[in-house]
């Protein structure tokens, strides 16, 4: 059967079994990755899967059932079982719930792709990782690593409300790292980030990273860090590079504004949230420089799509405007319960997983400054960049981060390199202390966002630029 026919059969079977709403997703995904270490290919993975996932709503109970079989019989069975599970759940959940009204969408969407990453010969990909890691090793790395990953996903979505959508999303990314082992000290430098850079683009993204050109530098910096002075402890002015800002946004804003966490539905992977819906539109989250958007329409960013997994068209909206909390990441059911009139942030990491509220591209709009201007305006501070470790409490409120590298800033100049830089803070107090923000924004991709039980891995994007914060505690130990 054609994919749309499979999904339609599943939806109809769920309705015939008593569902008041049903939707179905057929997904086909191909995945490829390769890793290298010290100039040698270490592993190659190629994987392919396809299947059908069906959601049904009976009363206020959701049911979900998935099968790796795209026949008519399997589709009808999946729809019936999803409705049965929903009916059983509804007896426990209580009266019927609503979904935020959404006009039925039909259409197709594809992510931009100049060079199909799966069409690039494996030999060329391997040569790239071998050259980059060998160069790092030749310039002092004790361990040089490289990695790329590719996802090619096709989706066909049908709902009982009339949705009929197909999407083709191609994602890829890569990165390298260099580790140096000293006397009781190990240091690592990465490029372009500690996990690489990713986007909904083709192989042109990886070509543009020019991994080999940065391989020597990161090895030399890692070796220099081994003997660099430790970041001093105390309260000071902190300048964060754009890559670290992306993780700061992800952990202390993105997860905190997920509506299922706010409602208490999701408590796995360090959930819920410190935010209270009664404060929406009122709470001062940060300084007036803080403008956070939810925008799955950014071309090439990792959290971009045409429609979410409920068929809601991708739409840009505000989460924080001039420091005030004004929006959430929501699904149709959570939004209805919260009294909101929008959804659009529901995705699953595969056909066998129930869609849930996930980050799309949650990013900080650029500011009026540059990194050089921030350094010049700082008499005494620390510049940190590239994440090394993170820790945040189950309310997404108190955090502590470690970075790969730091520099002392004195009298408006970048000074000596510092090793093991760390900083800590409380979310809203930290964001309210942001007094300078750069215009030099990059849409960083995070391909490893964990959430849910069973666990799901989400792909998210975070436009971010360097920023300055005052009165931050740095050099935290233990």
């Amino acid at each position: 059967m054609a994919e749309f026919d499979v999904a339609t059969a599943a939806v109809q079977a769920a309705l015939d079994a008593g569902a008041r709403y049903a939707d179905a997703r057929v997904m086909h995904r191909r995945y490829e990755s390769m890793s290298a270490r010290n100039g040698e290919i270490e592993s190659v993975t190629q994987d392919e899967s396809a299947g059908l996932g069906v959601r049904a709503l009976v009363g206020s109970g959701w049911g979900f059932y998935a099968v790796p079989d795209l026949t008519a019989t399997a589709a009808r069975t999946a729809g019936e079982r999803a409705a049965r599970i929903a009916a059983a759940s509804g007896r426990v959940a209580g009266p019927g719930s609503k979904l935020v009204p959404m006009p039925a969408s039909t259409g197709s969407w594809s992510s931009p792709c100049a060079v199909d990453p799966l069409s690039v010969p494996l030999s060329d990909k391997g040569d790239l990782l071998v050259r980059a890691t060998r160069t790092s090793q030749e310039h002092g790395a004790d361990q040089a690593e490289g990695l790329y990953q590719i996802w090619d996903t096709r989706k066909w979505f049908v709902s009982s409300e009339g949705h009929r959508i197909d999407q083709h999303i191609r994602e890829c990314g890569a990165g390298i790292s260099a580790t140096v082992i000293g006397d009781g000290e190990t240091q690592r430098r990465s490029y372009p980030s500690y996990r690489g850079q990713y986007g909904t683009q083709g192989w042109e993204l990886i070509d543009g990273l020019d991994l080999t050109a940065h391989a020597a530098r990161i090895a030399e910096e890692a070796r220099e860090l081994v003997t660099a002075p430790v970041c001093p402890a105390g309260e000071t002015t902190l300048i964060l590079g754009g890559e670290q800002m992306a993780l700061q946004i992800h952990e202390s804003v993105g997860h905190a504004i997920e509506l299922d966490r706010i409602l208490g539905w999701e408590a796995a992977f360090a959930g819920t949230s410190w935010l209270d819906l009664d404060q929406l539109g009122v709470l001062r989250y940060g300084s007036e420089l803080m403008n956070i958007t939810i925008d799955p329409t950014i071309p090439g960013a990792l959290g971009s799509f045409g429609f979410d997994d409920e068929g809601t068209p991708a739409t840009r909206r505000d989460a924080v405007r001039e420091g005030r909390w004004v929006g959430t990441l929501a699904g149709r059911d959570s939004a209805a319960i919260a009294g909101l009139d929008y959804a659009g942030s529901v995705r699953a990491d595969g056909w066998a997983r129930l869609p849930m509220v996930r980050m799309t591209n949650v990013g900080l709009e650029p500011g009026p400054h540059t990194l050089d201007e921030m350094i010049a305006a700082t008499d005494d501070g620390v510049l940190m960049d590239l994440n090394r470790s993170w820790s945040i409490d189950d309310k997404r409120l108190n955090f502590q981060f470690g970075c790969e590298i730091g520099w002392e800033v004195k009298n408006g100049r970048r000074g000596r390199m510092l090793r093991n830089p760390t900083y800590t803070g409380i979310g809203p107090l930290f964001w309210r202390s942001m007094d300078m923000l750069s215009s030099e924004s990059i849409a960083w991709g995070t391909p490893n966002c964990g959430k849910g039980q069973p666990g799901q891995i989400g792909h998210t994007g975070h436009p971010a630029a360097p920023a300055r914060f005052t009165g931050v505690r740095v050099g935290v130990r233990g």
Side-chain angles (χ1 to χ4, degrees):
M1 295 177 71
E3 289 83 358
F4 275 129
D5 293 337
V6 171
T8 299
V11 167
Q12 187 59 54
L15 295 176
D16 292 343
R20 62 186 177 93
Y21 169 85
D23 60 39
R25 288 173 299 112
V26 173
M27 290 184 64
H28 175 212
R29 172 172 285 172
R30 291 183 292 167
Y31 171 75
E32 180 181 295
S33 69
M34 184 184 295
S35 66
R37 188 191 304 266
N38 293 347
E40 300 287 342
I41 298 301
E42 191 167 62
S43 69
V44 179
T45 300
Q46 292 179 316
D47 183 60
E48 185 170 358
S49 77
L52 165 71
V54 188
R55 293 194 312 170
L57 182 59
V58 177
S60 60
W62 281 105
F64 177 76
Y65 199 84
V67 291
D69 185 346
L70 300 182
T71 63
T73 299
R76 287 192 292 268
T77 299
E80 292 167 1
R81 291 185 177 178
R84 250 185 267 157
I85 293 168
S89 300
R91 285 195 291 271
V92 176
S97 61
K98 297 180 180 179
L99 301 177
V100 168
M102 193 66 57
S105 298
T106 60
S108 298
W109 186 85
S110 295
S111 58
C113 179
V115 180
D116 179 356
L118 291 177
S119 73
V120 177
L122 279 173
S123 58
D124 291 354
K125 297 167 178 171
D127 288 345
L128 171 63
L129 296 184
V130 166
R131 283 195 309 271
T133 57
R134 185 169 291 157
T135 299
S136 274
Q137 193 179 28
E138 290 169 350
H139 284 78
D142 293 313
Q143 181 168 280
E145 297 175 286
L147 168 75
Y148 76 77
Q149 297 183 88
I150 299 166
W151 298 265
D152 187 308
T153 305
R154 294 179 183 267
K155 302 181 183 183
W156 295 264
F157 177 81
V158 171
S159 83
S160 58
E161 295 177 337
H163 293 84
R164 188 180 175 92
I165 298 162
D166 65 277
Q167 300 188 80
H168 186 191
I169 302 174
R170 284 177 281 201
E171 307 158 298
C172 68
I176 56 174
S177 67
T179 301
V180 172
I181 302 169
D183 184 12
E185 185 74 31
T186 299
Q187 292 294 330
R188 167 181 160 140
R189 287 289 286 128
S190 307
Y191 171 81
S193 105
Y194 77 96
R195 62 182 169 266
Q197 170 63 323
Y198 295 82
T200 52
Q201 301 175 48
W203 191 256
E204 65 275 7
L205 184 156
I206 295 174
D207 275 340
L209 295 176
D210 202 358
L211 298 178
T212 304
H214 295 268
R217 173 183 60 82
I218 63 170
E220 291 162 359
E221 288 181 351
R223 187 152 295 281
E224 186 178 351
L225 275 169
V226 168
T227 56
V230 173
C231 177
E235 192 172 287
T236 191
T237 298
L238 173 66
I239 302 173
L240 290 181
E243 191 270 356
Q244 178 61 29
M245 281 293 293
L247 187 70
Q248 183 73 54
I249 293 164
H250 180 98
E251 298 292 353
S252 70
V253 181
H255 278 307
I257 64 172
E258 291 170 335
L259 187 53
D260 57 347
R261 290 182 183 270
I262 295 170
L263 293 172
W265 296 0
E266 164 61 26
F269 284 98
T272 52
S273 174
W274 66 277
L275 293 170
D276 185 331
L277 276 176
D278 290 340
Q279 297 177 304
L280 185 63
V282 177
L283 176 73
R284 174 62 64 183
Y285 209 123
S287 74
E288 291 187 356
L289 287 171
M290 187 183 186
N291 293 294
I292 300 283
T293 59
I294 300 165
D295 189 0
T297 70
I298 299 172
L302 188 60
S304 295
F305 49 80
F307 304 84
D308 79 346
D309 282 352
E310 293 186 310
T312 303
T315 304
R316 181 188 185 278
R317 62 181 79 254
D318 288 338
V320 178
R321 179 53 50 186
E322 295 181 351
R324 197 173 304 279
W325 177 43
V326 295
T328 70
L329 293 153
R332 293 183 64 188
D333 54 353
S334 58
I337 286 177
L340 305 177
D341 61 359
Y342 59 85
S345 299
V346 166
R347 290 187 291 166
D349 76 352
W351 55 267
R353 290 290 181 263
L354 181 68
M356 64 171 65
V357 174
R358 299 306 301 255
M359 283 179 251
T360 62
N361 297 312
V362 178
L364 183 63
E365 289 187 348
H369 310 109
T370 67
L371 176 59
D372 287 344
E373 288 172 348
M374 283 186 273
I375 293 171
T378 302
D379 290 331
D380 188 10
V382 178
L383 167 62
M384 302 183 192
D385 202 11
L386 265 70
N387 185 259
R388 183 173 180 176
S389 65
W390 64 95
S391 176
I392 193 161
D393 70 9
D394 60 358
K395 293 287 188 180
R396 298 284 158 171
L397 183 60
N398 300 282
F399 62 81
Q400 179 176 319
F401 292 111
C403 293
E404 285 187 0
I405 192 167
W407 293 271
E408 190 176 64
V409 178
K410 293 287 187 183
N411 301 318
R413 294 181 180 276
R414 185 190 305 208
R416 58 181 181 165
M417 187 181 289
L418 301 173
R419 66 181 161 99
N420 303 335
T422 61
Y423 68 99
T424 187
I426 301 173
L429 298 180
F430 179 78
W431 286 104
R432 291 169 197 168
S433 76
M434 183 170 66
D435 69 344
M436 296 185 79
L437 174 62
S438 173
S439 61
E440 301 150 312
S441 183
I442 293 175
W444 294 96
T446 299
N448 60 334
C449 176
K451 187 178 177 183
Q453 290 177 328
Q456 297 191 38
I457 301 299
H459 294 181
T460 68
H462 303 290
R468 191 178 83 161
F469 301 84
T470 60
V472 179
R473 187 181 170 204
V474 304
V476 184
R477 306 282 182 265

